[in-house]
Amino acid sequence: MILDMQNELIDPKGKVGKNGFAKMVADLKLVEKTAAVADAFRARNLPVVFVNVGFEKGYLDAISKQSRLAHLKDMGAMIIGEFGTGFPDALAPNAGDLVVTKRAVNPFHNTNLLNWLQANKVERIVLAGVYTHMVVDSTARHGDDSGLFVTVLEDCCASPDMDLHRIECEKILPLFSTVSRSEEFLKLL
């Protein structure tokens, strides 16, 4: 599952990414590492799921009342159908990949994601995404609570504050998942 690795956050032209996070993502080579994992899954006929966050114009479908959403509204960010909810070319979904658009941090909330995983007999999920301390954490917790085996690829994830990323990967995510690096994981795939 590729979580929130969408243009708004990780592209230098994104309304959020242009403030420095896109450079961090590029320096960490997140797109390249995540694309390699996605290609390995496709080569083995394993499902690849993309999750993005997006809202209708005017944010009529927004759920959260917290300041993080107010910040996005002020920027006019993450509007469905606009550049920000798309994915970078190097990581774009292929035909046959599932794309789930969410309106909350948790991609299972008010989406068909869990039903789709269960209908397709998926018992293990592998997570890559941004931000580690938000969507990756939320997905790992909900996935674990739903009886899924969860793996987090820590080198395919990042947060604007990499101390939060480190704390998540060292102290929190191991409670809900197996934390691994993409190279190690691909050797076992």
Side-chain angles (χ1 to χ4, degrees):
M1 296 177 70
I2 300 167
L3 305 166
D4 295 2
M5 291 186 76
Q6 62 195 73
N7 292 329
E8 203 78 273
L9 298 172
I10 66 171
D11 189 283
K13 296 182 296 276
K15 292 174 182 163
V16 177
K18 69 181 178 183
N19 296 319
F21 189 61
K23 181 178 181 339
M24 179 186 297
V25 167
D27 291 347
L28 294 170
K29 300 190 181 320
L30 286 182
V31 170
E32 296 87 346
K33 291 175 188 176
T34 302
V37 173
D39 289 344
F41 270 65
R42 292 180 189 114
R44 290 164 178 79
N45 292 317
L46 297 170
V48 176
V49 177
F50 285 79
V51 174
N52 64 0
V53 59
F55 304 96
E56 298 295 330
K57 286 186 179 177
Y59 300 90
L60 300 173
D61 54 343
I63 299 167
S64 175
K65 307 294 185 231
Q66 298 305 313
S67 62
R68 66 183 160 69
L69 187 58
H71 179 65
L72 295 176
K73 287 179 181 180
D74 289 345
M75 291 189 292
M78 300 193 184
I79 302 299
I80 294 170
E82 293 185 0
F83 172 78
T85 57
F87 301 95
D89 290 341
L91 192 62
N94 287 357
D97 294 343
L98 177 66
V99 178
V100 175
T101 299
K102 64 186 175 87
R103 284 140 180 93
V105 174
N106 181 346
F108 293 103
H109 184 76
N110 283 344
T111 70
N112 68 340
L113 180 57
L114 185 59
N115 291 334
W116 185 89
L117 292 170
Q118 291 170 337
N120 287 280
K121 298 180 178 19
V122 174
E123 296 178 351
R124 297 177 181 276
I125 58 174
V126 179
L127 309 181
V130 297
Y131 303 146
T132 314
H133 69 286
M134 292 184 70
V135 68
V136 176
D137 177 283
S138 184
T139 307
R141 289 172 188 252
H142 195 105
D144 179 60
D145 285 346
S146 299
L148 298 167
F149 295 100
V150 180
T151 298
V152 173
L153 302 178
E154 68 92 7
D155 63 323
C156 293
C157 300
S159 291
D161 178 340
M162 286 302 280
D163 282 339
L164 287 174
H165 169 82
R166 181 188 54 75
I167 291 166
E168 280 283 341
C169 291
E170 290 177 6
K171 305 219 180 257
I172 299 169
L173 289 169
L175 300 172
F176 307 100
S177 65
T178 299
V179 178
S180 183
R181 294 189 57 77
S182 60
E183 289 178 13
E184 296 163 8
F185 177 79
L186 288 174
K187 288 177 187 173
L188 301 173
L189 186 60

